[in-house]
C-alpha cells in the first residue's frame, strides 16, 4: 500500500478494527525495524530450511509479541486521567482553560513506551523463550499432563499477555470473547447437566496443557498461518509498494477508462482490485483509493453517497481478490489441507461475479446521475504497460509456480525476489539496502495485529476442541433449523455477519469455521463450500450495516451521509451476499468454486453472470417497480443453477425486459 498521509492514517485508525500503532522515537524505531526485519528474514529462511512446527511458532511469537507491547499503546491513559480528575474534584471555574493549539494529533505524536510496556514485553519474551530452552522435555510434559508449577504459571501469564495484546490491537470485543471461552472451560461443570453445552470441567493444569504445550491452542493453525503465509505476503506487498507498483496500478486504472461516462466509477473499482495485491485491508484500501479518486468522482457528477459506496465496494474487494485474498483464505487452505492455489480457484468465479455486479451497477448509476467523463492527467495505458507492465510479472509468477507444484511459501518468496530485482528498472524506486530493510521491517510490523488475533484465537479453538463445544453448538444450530439446509444457511449467514460486527475478519472466520461450518457439513455441504461461505460472510461484515467499517471510512472522505453510504455499498456488493448461497444450497453450486467438468463450470458461471445482471436491474434506479420485482425473482431462480429454475428465470427476466422496454416507449411517446 502506498504510504498514507497523516489524514489518511487518522481515517484508517478511526474506522478500522485494528488500533493505530504509536509513533516511536527514532532510536527505538530503528531498533524495532531491526528486530522486525530480522523476523522477516527468519520467516523467509524457514521456507527453505524448515523448523519443527511448535518451535517455529513459539520463536515467531517470541519476537512478535514483545513488539506488540512496544508498538501499541495501552489506551488506558484517558481512563486514568478521568480517574485522577474525579479524585481531584470539580475543576476551578476561575482557572484559564488549557488549549491544545499547536499540539500534534495523537497519531503524529512521538511516544516512548512506558515502564509497564517494557515489563510486558520482557514477560512475553520470558514465557516464550522458557519452553524453547528445552522444547522436547516441555512437549513431553504437556503430552503426559505432568506440567510443572513453572509451566502452569508461564502458561497463565502468556494467556493474560495475549488477552492484553488483543485488547491493544483490536479492542475489547475479542478480548472478552476469549475470556468467556476460558471461563467456560473452567466452570463448564457447573452448568445444568441437561444442557447440551455442559461438560465435566477442566482445571488450570489441563487448560494450560491444551493451550500452551502443543499445537491445539496458542500455537495452532491460526498462528501458523500468521507465521508463514501472512508475513510472507505482507513482505511481498511491502516490496511491491517500495518498487512503485502501487502508483503504477492507480495510474493504469485512471488511464484505462478515459471517455465513458461510467469511466470514473470503473477506474475506482479497477484500482481497488489492483491495490488488493498489496493490501489485505478493506478500510486501508478504501482510504487510499478515496484520497485519489473522490475528487475525480466529484468532478464526474457523482453524489457523495454513491461515490462513497463505490469506494467502499472497491476497497473491500482487496480481501476478496486473488492472488493474495485475505488472511482467512490462508486459514482455509490449512483447515482443508489443500494447496493455496486450490483456494484461489475457489475464489476466482465469485470474485468475477463480485466485480461484474459492481461494474453493472456503476453503468446504471452513470445514467441515473447523468455523470460524465473526466479528463485525468495520466499517461496512456499502452505507454504505462510498456514502461511499467513488469509489475504484473511477479503476480503472475505466484500462480504459475503454484501450478507447477511449488508451495505457496516458496512461490511468494521467489515472486518477492523477482519484484525486488525488477525495481531496478525504475530509477525512482530502486531498492537499495535501506529500502530492503524498510520493506522487511514493514512486513513484520504490519502483521503484528494479525499475529495477536491469531494467537488469541487459539484460545477459542483450543477450548472448543477440548470441551467438544463446536459439535454441540453445530447440533444446536441444526436443531433450531429443524434440519432444514436453507434455514440453517440463513441462520449461519446472520450469525457470521453479527460476529463480524464485533471482531476482525480473521477472528470472525476462525470462530465461525469451528462452530458454524460443521453445522453446514452435517447437512451434506462439502467442507470447501462451507468454509468459502463462511469466508465471504466474514469479509462482508465490513460492508454490512449497521457498522460497515469500509463504508463509514468512505463517508468520512466524501462527507456524505453515513447510513446512505452504507446502503449504497450494500447495493453495489449485493451479488457477494447472494452468490455464496448458490454454492451451498444447489447441487451445481460447486461449479462456482471451479469444481467439476469445465463445461458445467463455464455454463454455471454464465448463468450466474446473468443472475448478477438481473440483480443490478433490480437494484438500479432506471427500472420501475414491476421490472424490479420480476428481475429479483429471475435472479433468485437463476441462482438455483438447475435446468427447470434456470429456464423459468430466463423467462421471467425476458418478461421484465419486455415490460421495461414497453414502459420506456410509453414514456417517450
Amino acid at each position: 500500500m502506498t504510504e498514507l498521509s497523516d489524514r489518511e492514517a487518522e481515517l484508517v485508525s478511526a474506522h478500522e478494527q485494528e488500533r493505530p500503532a504509536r509513533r516511536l522515537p527514532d532510536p527505538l524505531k530503528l531498533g524495532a525495524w531491526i528486530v522486525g526485519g530480522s523476523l522477516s528474514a527468519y520467516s523467509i529462511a524457514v521456507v527453505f530450511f524448515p523448523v519443527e512446527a511448535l518451535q517455529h511458532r513459539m520463536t515467531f511469537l517470541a519476537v512478535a509479541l514483545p513488539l506488540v507491547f512496544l508498538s501499541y499503546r495501552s489506551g488506558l491513559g484517558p481512563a486514568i486521567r478521568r480517574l485522577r480528575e474525579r479524585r481531584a474534584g470539580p475543576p476551578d471555574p476561575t482557572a484559564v482553560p488549557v488549549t491544545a493549539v499547536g499540539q500534534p494529533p495523537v497519531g503524529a505524536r512521538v511516544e516512548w513506551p512506558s515502564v509497564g510496556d517494557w515489563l510486558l514485553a520482557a514477560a512475553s519474551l520470558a514465557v516464550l523463550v522458557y519452553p524453547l530452552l528445552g522444547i522436547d522435555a516441555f512437549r513431553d510434559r504437556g503430552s503426559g499432563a505432568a506440567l510443572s508449577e513453572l509451566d502452569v504459571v508461564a502458561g497463565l501469564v502468556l494467556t493474560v499477555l495475549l488477552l492484553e495484546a488483543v485488547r491493544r490491537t483490536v479492542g475489547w470485543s475479542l478480548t472478552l470473547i476469549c475470556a468467556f471461552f476460558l471461563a467456560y472451560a473452567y466452570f463448564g461443570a457447573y452448568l445444568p447437566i441437561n444442557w447440551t453445552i455442559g461438560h465435566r470441567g477442566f482445571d488450570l493444569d489441563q487448560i494450560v496443557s491444551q493451550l500452551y504445550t502443543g499445537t491445539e491452542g496458542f500455537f495452532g493453525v491460526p498462528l501458523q498461518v500468521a507465521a508463514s503465509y501472512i508475513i510472507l505476503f505482507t513482505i511481498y506487498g511491502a516490496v511491491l509498494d517500495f518498487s512503485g507498483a502501487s502508483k503504477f496500478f492507480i495510474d493504469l486504472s485512471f488511464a484505462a477508462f478515459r471517455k465513458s461516462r461510467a469511466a470514473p466509477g470503473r477506474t475506482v473499482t479497477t484500482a481497488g482490485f489492483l491495490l488488493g495485491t498489496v493490501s489485505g485491508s478493506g478500510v486501508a484500501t478504501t482510504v487510499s483509493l478515496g484520497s485519489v479518486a473522490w475528487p475525480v468522482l466529484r468532478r464526474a457528477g457523482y453524489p457523495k453517497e454513491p461515490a462513497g459506496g463505490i469506494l467502499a465496494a472497491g476497497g473491500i474487494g482487496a480481501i476478496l481478490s486473488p492472488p493474495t485474498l485475505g488472511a482467512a483464505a490462508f486459514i482455509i487452505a490449512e483447515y482443508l489441507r489443500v494447496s493455496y492455489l486450490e483456494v484461489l480457484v475457489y475464489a476466482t468465479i465469485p470474485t468475477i461475479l463480485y466485480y461484474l455486479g459492481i461494474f453493472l451497477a456503476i453503468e446504471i448509476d452513470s445514467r441515473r446521475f447523468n455523470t460524465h467523463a473526466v479528463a485525468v492527467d495520466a499517461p496512456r495505458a499502452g505507454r504505462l504497460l510498456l514502461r511499467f507492465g513488469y509489475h504484473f510479472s511477479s503476480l503472475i509468477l505466484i500462480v504459475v509456480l503454484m501450478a507447477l507444484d511449488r508451495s505457496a511459501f516458496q512461490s511468494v518468496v521467489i515472486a518477492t525476489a523477482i519484484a525486488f530485482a525488477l525495481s531496478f528498472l525504475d530509477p525512482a524506486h530502486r531498492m537499495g539496502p535501506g529500502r530492503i530493510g524498510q520493506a522487511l521491517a514493514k512486513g513484520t510490523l504490519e502483521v503484528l495485529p494479525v499475529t495477536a488475533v491469531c494467537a488469541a484465537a487459539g484460545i477459542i479453538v483450543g477450548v472448543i476442541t477440548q470441551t467438544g463445544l463446536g459439535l454441540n453448538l453445530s447440533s444446536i444450530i441444526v436443531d433450531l433449523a429443524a434440519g432444514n439446509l436453507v434455514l440453517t444457511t440463513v441462520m449461519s449467514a446472520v450469525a457470521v455477519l453479527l460476529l463480524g460486527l464485533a471482531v476482525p475478519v480473521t477472528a470472525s472466520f476462525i470462530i465461525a469455521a469451528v462452530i458454524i461450518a460443521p453445522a453446514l457439513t452435517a447437512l451434506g455441504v462439502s467442507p470447501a463450500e462451507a468454509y468459502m461461505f463462511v469466508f465471504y460472510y466474514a469479509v462482508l461484515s465490513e460492508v454490512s450495516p449497521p457498522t460497515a467499517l469500509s463504508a463509514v471510512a468512505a463517508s468520512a472522505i466524501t462527507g456524505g451521509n453515513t447510513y446512505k453510504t452504507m446502503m449504497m455499498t450494500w447495493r453495489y456488493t449485493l451479488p457477494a451476499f447472494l452468490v455464496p448461497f448458490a454454492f451451498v444450497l444447489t447441487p451445481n453450486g460447486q461449479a462456482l468454486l471451479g469444481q467439476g467438468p469445465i463445461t458445467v463450470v463455464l455454463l454455471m458461471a454464465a448463468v450466474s453472470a446473468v443472475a448478477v445482471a438481473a440483480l443490478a436491474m433490480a437494484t438500479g434506479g432506471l427500472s420501475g417497480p414491476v421490472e424490479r420485482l420480476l428481475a429479483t425473482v429471475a435472479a433468485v431462480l437463476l441462482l438455483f443453477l438447475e435446468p427447470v429454475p434456470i429456464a423459468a428465470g430466463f423467462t421471467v427476466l425476458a418478461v421484465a425486459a419486455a415490460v421495461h422496454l414497453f414502459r420506456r416507449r410509453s414514456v417517450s411517446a
Side-chain angles (χ1 to χ4, degrees):
M1 204 67 188
T2 52
E3 191 69 27
L4 298 178
S5 67
D6 288 343
R7 168 60 177 161
E8 291 167 354
E10 182 183 345
L11 285 173
V12 173
S13 64
H15 302 296
E16 197 171 34
Q17 285 173 310
E18 294 175 2
R19 303 294 179 85
R22 59 160 59 102
R23 292 200 174 187
L24 299 172
D26 288 341
L28 192 54
K29 181 192 294 184
L30 178 61
W33 280 14
I34 292 173
V35 174
S38 301
L39 183 57
S40 291
Y42 164 77
S43 300
I44 293 172
V46 168
V47 173
F48 301 99
F49 305 97
V51 177
E52 189 272 331
L54 181 61
Q55 183 178 352
H56 169 53
R57 299 171 197 181
M58 280 186 175
T59 303
F60 182 86
L61 192 59
V63 180
L65 191 56
L67 283 176
V68 170
F69 290 114
L70 299 180
S71 300
Y72 289 82
R73 59 179 63 86
S74 69
L76 298 177
I80 294 174
R81 284 195 297 272
R82 286 194 296 269
L83 181 61
R84 289 175 178 171
E85 291 171 358
R86 193 176 296 114
R87 289 180 176 177
D92 184 357
T94 63
V96 178
V98 179
T99 65
V101 175
Q103 296 296 319
V106 174
R109 189 187 316 145
V110 173
E111 181 182 350
W112 282 91
S114 67
V115 174
D117 296 331
W118 285 103
L119 290 175
L120 292 174
S124 304
L125 187 62
V127 297
L128 286 162
V129 169
Y130 156 69
L132 287 171
L133 298 177
I135 187 68
D136 292 331
F138 178 77
R139 189 187 295 105
D140 292 340
R141 292 197 300 274
S143 60
L147 299 181
S148 67
E149 290 185 3
L150 186 57
D151 293 335
V152 176
V153 171
L156 292 175
V157 170
L158 180 57
T159 303
V160 174
L161 290 170
L162 286 175
L163 293 177
E164 170 61 11
V166 168
R167 187 193 67 80
R168 290 184 178 216
T169 53
V170 298
W172 279 103
S173 298
L174 183 57
T175 307
L176 295 176
I177 291 173
C178 291
F180 169 80
F181 275 90
L182 288 170
Y184 169 74
Y186 190 77
F187 295 107
Y190 296 97
L191 294 174
I193 194 171
N194 59 336
W195 282 24
T196 305
I197 61 173
H199 60 86
R200 62 185 180 86
F202 298 90
D203 58 29
L204 292 179
D205 286 20
Q206 293 170 312
I207 295 174
V208 168
S209 178
Q210 173 76 1
L211 300 181
Y212 185 43
T213 63
T215 56
E216 296 289 336
F218 305 139
F219 311 110
V221 169
L223 183 60
Q224 166 64 16
V225 168
S228 53
Y229 288 103
I230 300 176
I231 189 169
L232 293 176
F233 275 88
T234 57
I235 295 169
Y236 170 63
V239 170
L240 274 183
D241 186 15
F242 279 100
S243 68
S246 299
K247 183 179 184 302
F248 164 68
F249 291 151
I250 292 177
D251 288 345
L252 180 63
S253 300
F254 278 97
F257 305 104
R258 287 178 177 270
K259 299 178 181 179
S260 166
R261 66 166 69 190
R266 293 176 187 166
T267 296
V268 173
T269 306
T270 304
F273 170 74
L274 293 175
L275 285 177
T277 60
V278 244
S279 170
S281 166
V283 174
T285 305
T286 299
V287 171
S288 183
L289 268 179
S291 62
V292 178
W294 163 231
V296 177
L297 293 173
R298 181 173 52 202
R299 285 162 52 199
Y302 278 94
K304 296 176 180 179
E305 289 79 14
I310 293 173
L311 290 173
I316 202 64
I319 312 179
L320 296 172
S321 304
T324 54
L325 297 174
F330 303 120
I331 300 175
I332 292 175
E334 289 293 317
Y335 279 168
L336 292 178
R337 299 189 179 279
V338 299
S339 69
Y340 182 61
L341 178 62
E342 195 160 342
V343 178
L344 294 185
V345 172
Y346 295 160
T348 299
I349 293 176
T351 299
I352 293 172
L353 295 176
Y354 174 80
Y355 282 103
L356 174 64
I358 296 177
F359 275 114
L360 291 174
I362 287 172
E363 194 68 37
I364 292 173
D365 282 354
S366 67
R367 288 165 170 74
R368 184 156 66 110
F369 301 126
N370 197 27
T371 62
H372 51 81
V374 175
V376 179
D377 185 17
R380 293 197 171 275
R383 184 178 176 185
L384 278 171
L385 285 171
L386 286 174
R387 178 64 183 88
F388 299 107
Y390 59 81
H391 285 300
F392 285 116
S393 59
S394 62
L395 295 169
I396 298 170
L397 184 62
I398 291 177
V399 179
V400 171
L401 289 173
M402 287 192 290
L404 295 175
D405 287 334
R406 286 273 190 173
S407 69
F409 312 124
Q410 292 183 354
S411 300
V412 71
V413 171
I414 294 172
T416 302
I418 295 299
F420 158 72
L422 292 175
S423 71
F424 289 91
L425 296 176
D426 183 3
H429 294 94
R430 288 175 181 166
M431 294 192 65
R435 285 184 175 233
I436 294 172
Q438 291 178 35
L440 290 174
K442 185 179 180 182
T444 289
L445 296 178
E446 287 191 350
V447 86
L448 292 181
V450 179
T451 300
V453 167
C454 288
I459 295 174
I460 299 170
V461 176
V463 169
I464 286 175
T465 303
Q466 188 175 39
T467 61
L469 178 63
L471 293 176
N472 291 335
L473 288 180
S474 299
S475 65
I476 290 174
I477 293 173
V478 173
D479 290 342
L480 286 175
N484 183 279
L485 179 57
V486 175
L487 188 54
T488 301
T489 306
V490 172
M491 291 172 57
S492 299
V494 172
V496 179
L497 287 176
L498 291 176
L499 184 61
L501 301 180
V503 298
V505 170
T506 305
S508 63
F509 172 79
I510 293 171
I511 297 171
V514 295
I515 295 177
I516 294 173
L520 296 173
T521 57
L523 295 176
V525 178
S526 74
E529 293 164 350
Y531 280 126
M532 290 301 289
F533 179 87
V534 171
F535 168 67
Y536 275 93
Y537 271 88
V539 171
L540 291 170
S541 63
E542 285 209 8
V543 290
S544 300
T547 55
L549 300 175
S550 292
V552 174
S555 67
I557 293 171
T558 64
N561 178 277
T562 301
Y563 176 74
K564 291 181 180 178
T565 302
M566 287 182 189
M567 298 312 295
M568 289 299 300
T569 305
W570 181 83
R571 184 169 75 82
Y572 285 124
T573 59
L574 180 61
F577 284 87
L578 296 184
V579 169
F581 279 92
F583 54 70
V584 168
L585 295 177
T586 65
N588 286 323
Q590 61 180 356
L592 297 183
L593 299 180
Q595 308 300 297
I598 186 63
T599 53
V600 176
V601 170
L602 293 177
L603 179 60
M604 294 302 107
V607 171
S608 299
V610 177
V612 168
L615 286 173
M617 180 179 178
T619 58
L622 296 179
S623 304
V626 176
E627 300 104 287
R628 292 187 186 187
L629 177 61
L630 291 172
T632 302
V633 173
V636 173
L637 289 171
L638 290 168
L639 287 175
F640 271 99
L641 301 180
E642 289 293 304
V644 174
I646 289 174
F650 275 113
T651 302
V652 174
L653 185 59
V655 172
V659 171
H660 179 66
L661 291 174
F662 177 77
R663 186 180 62 83
R664 286 188 61 184
R665 289 177 180 175
S666 299
V667 171
S668 299

